[in-house]
Amino acid sequence: MIWSSRASLSCSCGCCGTICNPGPRKAMPKLLYVRLALFLPETVWASVGAVWVANDMQCDRTVMNGILATVVVSWIIIVSAAVTILVVFDPLGGKAPHPSAGPSHLDAQDRGQLLSGLQTAATSVWETRVKLLCCCVGSDVHARAAFSSSAELFSTYFSDTDLVPSDIAAGLALLHQQQDVGATQEPDEVASHCPGPSQEADLDAELENCQHFMQFAAAAYGWPLFVYRNPFTGLCRVGGDCCRSQAPEYDLVGGDQLHCHLGSILHTTGLQYRDFIHVSFHDKVYELPFLVALDHRKEAVVVAVRGTMSLQDILTDLSAESEPLDLACEVQDCSAHKGIAQAARYIHRRLISDGILSQAFSVAPEYRLVLVGHSLGAGAAALLALMLRDTHPELRCYAFSPPRGLLSKSLHEYSKSFVVSLVLGKDVIPRLSMPNLEDLKRRILRVIAHCNKPKYQILLHGCWYELFGGSPDNFPTELDGGEQEGLTQPLLGEQSLLTHWSPTYNCGDSPLESPKYPPLYPPGRIIHLEEDGAPGRLCDCSAARYRATWSHEARFSKILISPKMLTDHMPDVLLRALDSVVAARVPAQGGPGLASV
C-alpha cells in the first residue's frame, strides 16, 4: 500500500474524477502540502492555549470549560495527524520494487541492483511502521524476527500497486455486487467431490464432538470472551474467582489474572479444579497460551490452544513464510506456516520437556489425546497433532476456523485421518492464504479499473447494499466492463494503479509466487456449516439457517466478500451455530436438517 501523491490525492478527494482518473483533482497535492504547513501555527496556537488554561486564568467557568475542550480536541487532531503521517508516509515516493520492473535503459545487472535496493528500502519502511504500531510488544529475538517477516510480507504484497484503504473498500464493495450478480462456479475438484456413505454416517458424530470440544477452544480465551458472551452476568460470575486464593489440586502455571481466567474456564467447560493439569496464559511472539485438562465425559486429555487475541498473536499470524517441519512420518513435503509452526514447537516443548502430558496420563492412562483450538489456535493445534502423532497414534484434533495457509498439500492429505476442521459460512480466515490474497488484489484492481463512477458514490452504494441488501443489478454502471477477461492495458504514470513498469498486467506475474510463499492448505477433513438461502445482511435480525456438509478444500480457494466474512469467524457465533445445527440434526437422525442461529 504505497502512499504516493496519487494515493493521498485519491483518499482526500474521491468526489472528483474516478479512482483511475485523478486528472480532475491534479491540484490536490499542492493543497495538501499547504494544509500540512498550517499544522505548525496550529501547534503553536494549541500550545499557547494549553499554557493559558494551565495558568488557571480567572474567567467564567463555562468559558474555561469551552476553552479546555477546544485545546484538548486540537491536540487530539494534531497528534492523530502526526501519527498518521509517520505511519503512511512513503519516503520512496511510490517507487515499486517489483521483480519485473525496471527502467528499460538499464542493463540486467544495474536493474537487479536497483530493484534489490528498492526492495530493501521498502522492507525497512514497513518494518519501521510495524515497530511503531507494535511498540509495546518488546524487542526480543522472536519479536525482531516477526517484525522482519511482517515487513517483508507487506512490502512484497503491496510492491506492485498504488492503493489506499478507500480504494480497497470501494473495490470490495464492487466485488461483492459482482459476486452476487453471477453464481460462483465450483472448481472441478468440488464438483467431483462426493462424500461416501461412511463419511455421511460419520458427520453426526463429528458434529457432536465439535460441539463438545469447541467449549474448550472457547475456554482457552479466558475471561474476556466469557464476559463478551455474557455481558450482563459475566463479571459477576467470575468476579469472585479473581480474588479467590484457592489452590487447585495440581500445579497450574499461568500469567497475570490467572484466577479470573480460571474461573471463566470452569464456567465454560463445566469442569472442576481437580480436572486441570496445566493452565498457561504466557503470551509472547511465537508463544501461545494453552491449557491441559481431563475430560471425563469423552475420556480424553484435552490440550486447548488460544487463538489470536493480542499484538503478539498478530505478529505470529503475519510470519507467513513457509518453513520445513521435522516430523516422524513418510511425507515428502513437510512444510507449514512459519509463525504457527514456531508456536506449535513452543507448546510441544512445554508439553514434553515440562512433563505436562506425562502428568496427565499418569492420572488417566486409559484416556486418549485430543487437541483443539480456534483460529490461530486451530492452526497450532493441527501442527501440534502432527508433531505428537508418532507417540500418540490415537490422537484426534478439532480445528475450528483454521487459517487456509497452514500445510503443504501432502501434509493436508496426511492429516485427514486424524484432524477435523470446522468452517462457518463465509468466514474469511479459512480462505486466507498468500495465493488467495494475491487473487483478491488482482480482482480489486480489475474491478476498480473498469469502474466509471466517483469513489464516494461507490462507497455510499456499497454501504447501503451491505446493510440493507437489494439487487446488485441496480448498480450496473459501476460494473461496466467488469466481465472482461483481464486487465491487459493498465493506465500508466500517475494514473496507474500498478506502480511497476510492466507493459501489461500479467496474471501469472506475482511477487508472492516464490518459494518463500508456496500454496498452503487447511488441515484435515472439513465440515462446512453453509448458510442456507439468501445471505443475511448486517441489519437483518432474522435467524440464519445453516446446513452441515463435508467439503473439499477447493471450496475455500477464493476469498468471498460478505457482511459476515468477519463475524462468522467469532467463536461465540460459531458456538451458537454449532449448538443449533446439532440440535436440528438429532431429531432428523442424521438427515440433512437445517438449523437456525
Side-chain angles (χ1 to χ4, degrees), residues 265-516:
I265 292 172
L266 295 177
H267 285 294
T268 302
T269 61
L271 301 182
Q272 304 297 321
Y273 277 99
R274 63 179 179 271
D275 297 326
F276 287 88
I277 304 300
H278 186 90
V279 178
S280 171
F281 277 87
H282 170 80
D283 187 13
K284 295 180 68 176
V285 178
Y286 303 152
E287 298 177 4
L288 300 179
F290 68 98
L291 63 88
V292 180
L294 299 177
D295 180 13
H296 303 295
R297 176 184 165 188
K298 293 290 185 179
E299 296 186 346
V301 174
V302 180
V303 178
V305 187
R306 196 190 75 180
T308 302
M309 204 175 177
S310 66
L311 287 176
Q312 291 89 336
D313 299 335
I314 294 175
L315 289 173
T316 301
D317 288 319
L318 292 175
S319 299
E321 307 99 306
S322 176
E323 73 171 21
L325 296 177
D326 185 14
L327 301 176
C329 63
E330 296 181 358
V331 177
Q332 291 183 350
D333 181 16
C334 294
S335 58
H337 183 288
K338 172 187 172 182
I340 302 178
Q342 295 276 8
R345 289 192 188 98
Y346 161 75
I347 299 175
H348 182 269
R349 185 169 60 253
R350 294 289 308 277
L351 292 176
I352 303 303
S353 301
D354 294 355
I356 298 173
L357 281 186
S358 299
Q359 183 180 358
F361 284 106
S362 67
V363 178
E366 72 282 5
Y367 285 10
R368 74 171 179 176
L369 182 62
V370 176
L371 301 109
V372 302
H374 173 264
S375 188
L376 170 62
L383 294 184
L384 189 59
L386 290 169
M387 297 175 184
L388 294 170
R389 170 80 166 165
D390 184 51
T391 55
H392 299 271
E394 299 300 321
L395 67 76
R396 298 287 293 175
C397 175
Y398 292 93
F400 302 98
S401 306
R404 175 177 175 83
L406 182 66
L407 302 172
S408 63
K409 183 67 172 179
S410 55
L411 282 181
H412 161 71
E413 296 294 337
Y414 173 73
S415 65
K416 286 183 177 181
S417 60
F418 56 93
V419 179
V420 172
S421 295
L422 186 76
V423 178
L424 176 62
K426 295 183 178 179
D427 183 357
V428 66
I429 300 302
R431 296 173 169 86
L432 205 60
S433 65
M434 293 298 102
N436 287 6
L437 282 173
E438 183 67 19
D439 172 71
L440 178 65
K441 179 176 69 174
R442 292 168 178 166
R443 288 189 286 147
I444 289 176
L445 288 172
R446 184 177 298 112
V447 74
I448 62 180
H450 294 148
C451 167
N452 60 1
K453 284 289 186 179
K455 191 192 308 184
Y456 80 96
Q457 291 187 13
I458 302 172
L459 294 175
L460 289 176
H461 290 164
C463 289
W464 180 271
Y465 186 73
E466 300 297 334
L467 291 172
F468 306 106
S471 173
D473 294 326
N474 294 336
F475 311 101
T477 307
E478 289 128 359
L479 299 179
D480 284 349
E483 300 301 325
Q484 297 180 24
E485 293 184 357
L487 182 57
T488 57
Q489 296 295 331
L491 301 173
L492 301 178
E494 291 186 352
Q495 297 182 357
S496 180
L497 298 173
L498 307 173
T499 58
H500 59 76
W501 293 280
S502 177
T504 61
Y505 185 63
N506 183 4
C507 291
D509 185 20
S510 167
L512 289 181
E513 292 178 356
S514 66
K516 184 175 289 188

